[in-house]
Amino acid sequence: MPTGVRKGSESVAETQTATTKAKKPAKRTTKKRTLKRTLVVVESPAKAKTIEKYLGRKYMVRASMGHLRDLPKSQFGIDVEHDFAPKYINIRGKGDLIKALKKDAKQADKIYLASDPDREGEAIAWHLAYILGIDPASDCRIVFNEITKPAIQEAVKHPRGINLDQVDAQQARRMLDRIVGYKLSPLLWRKVRKGLSAGRVQSVTVKLICEREKEIQAFNSEEYWTVGAKLRHERSALIPAELVQVDGAKLALHNKQETEQVVAELTQQAPVVSAVKRTERRRKPSAPFTTSSLQQDAARKLGFTSRRTMMYAQQLYEGIELGHGGASGLITYMRTDSTRISTLAQDEARSFIETSYGAGYLPEKPNIYAAGKKAQDAHEAIRPTSVERTPASVEQYLTKEQFKLYSLIWQRFVASQMTPAVYDTVSVDIAAGPRFVLRAKGSTLKFAGFTAVYAGADVTKKEKDVVLPELNAGDSLKIEKTLPQQHFTEPPPRYNDASLVKALEELEIGRPSTYAPIIETIQARGYVQRVDKHFQPTELGFVVVDMLQEYFKTIVNVKFTAELENELDEIAEGKVEKNTLLRDFYGPFETDVEKADEAIGHVELPVEVSDVQCELCGRMMVVKQGRYGKFLACPGFPECRNTKPLLKDTGVKCPKCGGSIVERRSRRGRVFYGCKNYPDCDYTTWDTPLQEQCPECGAFLLKHHFKNGRTLQYCSNDACKTRIDNPINEELEKIRKRMEARKTAAEEKAAQKETEQ
């Protein structure tokens, strides 16, 4: 049987081969060792990148991009009947991110949740724990006040459980806002117009702005006069003085006639120094920045809105690439109401001050600043993570805006740990006959103290040295000149970013982290517009506030809103139960909504009809209010959807084509001026055209507004003599270069966008 033999032969051959193979030395096999890794979840990618470098290969750092779960947008999302149980869903568009985080979590041996160290961050950690299947009570939460290597490594050594009281406080705030928004907004849709919305804190803020506007409208200006004088003692320089008393009473002049009579009699007198008072005044430095004071100072000194300030501060906190040194956080956490500074930071600052400025600038003991009564004091004040990292040393790595804000924070912190500035002051009372008393004041800086660092940035009004000659009681003076000046009392100013944040803080409306969102929201909803950096209510804002004031007094009540904020603080401290607050609020509020729905009829907003005809349907267009100001719209909406910008004529003719120069707004809402004949004529300017003419060449004048409030008027004609060999030209050239750079950047961006498309 050949076949069988063949099979047997093959079997023998296979056996021999296998035996031969077995005799060869076996290859050594090793199991692939898996590296145990810890997953750290932060909020932003920039922060993740920085922290991953600090922690090393055993850690993988991922970003949650903020909240991953929230109440649904399409429904109320709160089960009132079942003790206010919230219905949370995964936020639309974050499904892939959630899958990626779950995958990383499965591969990790340990998970740390490192969202921001505040209530919002605590709530984000709580939602992440639910998604990733982590016990909130386990040691899964780490927090840090600054993104530096020592701070991150120390935080990892001390994990803790999630603070459920802080989570409850965040949930209570979110649910209160949802109750107000989802109950009031439909009411506004039915009674006023579709698309409106109302908010718990935002409504109170709009009310403040409306009340200030009503004060301004009701204000009656009154005339008053002051009388200055220039005096001389023998051959001394002129001495500036002010008339302060007439017949023993404070000066009160109400019209030109009264003033002329006083001036006529004053010039006949022989002034004599009656008293000289010399004192030493010490001015202490301000505390390091809190969120509120940072927003206020950035608005006053840098011209930043609250949103811009917080955006740049977030970037500085999360980390900046510093050359070969890698990314590093430059400031501590920027949402804080505390002025407290760590001992380590104080010691570092004191060492830096003594080395850089000398022992005279260093106080005997560290300066300590008391926090406000309502301060939660959860974090340090805003300060640089290292005082040795001076603004000059990091300027090349920062954008212009980042550098300005970092400089402000660094200067304020260093100055806060320095000695006071010392001024020599002198006050001279001068008797001019039996009826009049004039007063001259002088002040000179004796010791710079903290102002050597802060360079006057801490001074509300610029303090300049006013040097008076040596004067003594009995010295005779001579009146060289009188300076009567007319004034009018002014209404209270409209709120700007700085003053509005200050008012919200003082009235305890909102908290540091909410100021910027509040201001952005009331503008986005069309209740308030920003005009020349000041907030002005729209007609819609007045209508909505008046309606809420009549039917929902608690919602727009400043005291009630402040008390509600305090109750949220008590929830965070474990003193009040979340659902107790919600129950106490919901019952009366629901009743008010039902009563208002029955009582309020349809509210007609006032319509301003323009003299511009719609070229599509022939109707006269009406003025509407949008996010960036007023515009023209066809009243035939929705049949006719024609809109166009509302052009405000400046009364100045275009130097290129002779057309009218009108006020326009950029895509970002910034005011600029351009020819009405655009696009046929491309004349534009950021500066305000004035109807005043240049005395030299007759061209119209332009007014440039600086961020510090200063203005500069100059001739629009580049070839005018007033523009040649004049120091003004240096500033104008800087302005021109900035404008050209912006124009070039915009053109390059547009070209790149076209290429990509």
Side-chain angles (χ1 to χ4, degrees), residues 590-752:
E590 180 73 5
T591 304
D592 289 343
V593 171
E594 292 173 0
K595 289 180 180 178
D597 200 8
E598 294 175 3
I600 303 174
H602 185 72
V603 179
E604 291 289 341
L605 289 173
V607 177
E608 182 183 348
V609 181
S610 74
D611 57 355
V612 179
Q613 190 175 30
C614 176
E615 62 270 23
L616 299 182
C617 68
R619 296 180 178 93
M620 299 306 293
M621 302 189 82
V622 296
V623 179
K624 294 283 187 179
Q625 180 70 45
R627 181 177 181 180
Y628 298 119
K630 294 182 178 180
F631 64 96
L632 292 176
C634 182
F637 182 88
E639 292 83 10
C640 180
R641 297 174 176 268
N642 186 24
T643 62
K644 56 176 63 179
L646 179 63
L647 303 178
K648 183 179 177 182
D649 197 335
T650 61
V652 178
K653 297 299 180 183
C654 173
K656 283 191 173 183
C657 70
S660 299
I661 298 178
V662 295
E663 181 182 300
R664 297 181 181 272
R665 284 186 179 269
S666 67
R667 289 183 180 179
R668 295 188 176 181
R670 185 180 174 190
V671 173
F672 71 99
Y673 302 88
C675 183
K676 190 175 183 180
N677 296 329
Y678 177 85
D680 296 329
C681 179
D682 63 352
Y683 177 80
T684 58
T685 176
W686 290 109
D687 297 332
T688 310
L690 306 176
Q691 295 185 23
E692 299 173 44
Q693 294 182 339
C694 173
E696 184 66 34
C697 70
F700 65 89
L701 299 181
L702 290 168
K703 179 187 282 188
H704 180 74
H705 297 265
F706 293 91
K707 287 183 178 180
N708 60 6
R710 187 168 66 90
T711 60
L712 170 68
Q713 289 188 17
Y714 63 96
C715 180
S716 60
N717 179 13
D718 293 340
C720 180
K721 288 183 179 179
T722 62
R723 297 275 299 273
I724 300 171
D725 298 328
N726 192 317
I728 269 181
N729 271 330
E730 293 181 13
E731 296 193 68
L732 294 178
E733 186 62 20
K734 291 178 184 177
I735 296 166
R736 186 185 64 78
K737 286 182 178 179
R738 282 203 305 270
M739 290 176 67
E740 286 182 354
R742 287 174 183 166
K743 188 175 180 180
T744 303
E747 289 173 351
E748 289 176 354
K749 189 175 180 181
Q752 184 180 357

Side-chain angles (χ1 to χ4, degrees), residues 20 184 254 273 309 392 418 473 508 512 533 556 668 679 734:
T20 306
L184 272 189
H254 303 96
V273 175
T309 299
M418 296 177 75
E508 298 176 20
K533 297 186 178 181
V556 290
R668 295 188 176 181
K734 291 178 184 177

Side-chain angles (χ1 to χ4, degrees), residues 286-331:
S286 296
F289 281 130
T290 62
T291 303
S292 169
S293 58
L294 176 63
Q295 291 180 14
Q296 292 175 53
D297 260 29
R300 282 194 294 260
K301 299 175 178 65
L302 305 179
F304 288 177
T305 62
S306 296
R307 184 188 66 82
R308 288 181 68 196
T309 299
M310 296 309 291
M311 179 178 69
Y312 299 136
Q314 182 85 30
Q315 293 166 2
L316 294 172
Y317 165 69
E318 290 183 347
I320 302 293
E321 289 285 345
L322 302 177
H324 296 298
S328 181
L330 297 187
I331 64 170

Side-chain angles (χ1 to χ4, degrees), residues 1 9 97 128 144 161 227 243 271 308 411 439 461 493 533 571 585 624 628 640-641 649 699 733:
M1 297 178 62
S9 307
L97 178 58
L128 278 166
F144 37 81
V227 178
L243 180 62
R308 288 181 68 196
Q411 291 170 355
R439 184 165 293 149
K461 294 181 180 178
K533 297 186 178 181
I571 292 174
F585 176 83
K624 294 283 187 179
Y628 298 119
C640 180
R641 297 174 176 268
D649 197 335
E733 186 62 20

Side-chain angles (χ1 to χ4, degrees), residues 279-281 422-426 442-446:
T279 57
E280 183 182 271
R281 183 169 62 88
V422 182
Y423 296 85
D424 280 336
T425 64
V426 58
S443 176
T444 55
L445 181 65
K446 183 178 181 180

Side-chain angles (χ1 to χ4, degrees), residues 244-271:
V244 292
Q245 286 185 15
V246 177
D247 296 328
K250 185 179 178 181
L251 179 69
L253 300 173
H254 303 96
N255 53 56
K256 186 177 181 180
Q257 186 178 358
E258 286 181 17
T259 306
E260 288 177 343
Q261 290 176 355
V262 167
V263 169
E265 187 175 346
L266 177 64
T267 53
Q268 303 301 315
Q269 308 303 318

Side-chain angles (χ1 to χ4, degrees), residues 61-73:
V61 185
R62 302 290 183 262
S64 72
M65 309 294 288
H67 278 280
L68 295 178
R69 292 203 310 160
D70 197 6
L71 298 172
K73 289 185 177 180

